[in-house]
Amino acid sequence: MKDCLFCKIARGEVKSETVYSDELVIAFNDINPQAPVHILIVPKEHIEGVTTLEEKHKNIIGHILLVAKRLAGEKSISEDGFRVLVNSGSNAGQVVEHLHFHLLGGDRLKPI
Ligand code: AMP
Ligand code: ZN
């Protein structure tokens, strides 16, 4: 997607503080962190969000959670706890229409 911000980040056209990248996903620090650790894990393929997921995306979703586990370990937030979440649609506050998982931790998080 030509004008999608997270596609541009995935292609390296917009700078990000990348913490992980492989053939399927890129992970980078959120520009407006809501916790000491706030990383976005994003598929390199443009998927708009949860509502447009299809059977063929099963692998990427599982992969994203495994990357979240890995990054939580690397950032030393596994033991104390962390949150992985996805916003879907306007009521949830989704502003970037390219699927992304938030990984939050490093402090006590507000209960949802
Ligand atoms: P959401 O509200 O779930 O759509 O989350 C979008 C997230 O993207 C927000 O937490 C923003 O702070 C973050 N964000 C927006 N632009 C950038 C950017 N250029 N680099 C890193 N994070 C960004
Ligand atoms: Zn995109």
Side-chain angles (χ1 to χ4, degrees), residues 56-71:
K56 67 178 180 186
H57 296 128
K58 274 181 180 171
N59 183 53
I60 185 78
I61 300 306
H63 184 65
I64 286 171
L65 282 176
L66 288 171
V67 170
K69 171 190 163 182
R70 173 191 174 131
L71 292 174

Side-chain angles (χ1 to χ4, degrees), residues 80-98:
D80 288 342
F82 59 90
R83 183 173 291 155
V84 178
L85 69 86
V86 185
N87 292 318
S88 178
S90 54
N91 271 3
Q94 182 183 5
V95 293
V96 178
E97 293 192 349
H98 178 135

Side-chain angles (χ1 to χ4, degrees), residues 5-6 9 14-17 28-34 38-40 42 85-89 92-102 104:
L5 174 62
F6 287 177
I9 287 177
V14 169
K15 275 195 187 158
S16 71
E17 284 180 21
F28 49 89
N29 289 327
D30 195 292
I31 206 166
N32 182 25
Q34 303 300 308
H38 187 173
I39 294 169
L40 300 177
V42 176
L85 69 86
V86 185
N87 292 318
S88 178
Q94 182 183 5
V95 293
V96 178
E97 293 192 349
H98 178 135
L99 181 69
H100 50 282
F101 284 59
H102 296 254
L104 296 144

Side-chain angles (χ1 to χ4, degrees), residues 1 4-7 45-47 97-98:
M1 285 278 283
C4 168
L5 174 62
F6 287 177
C7 282
E45 174 190 351
H46 181 83
I47 303 169
E97 293 192 349
H98 178 135

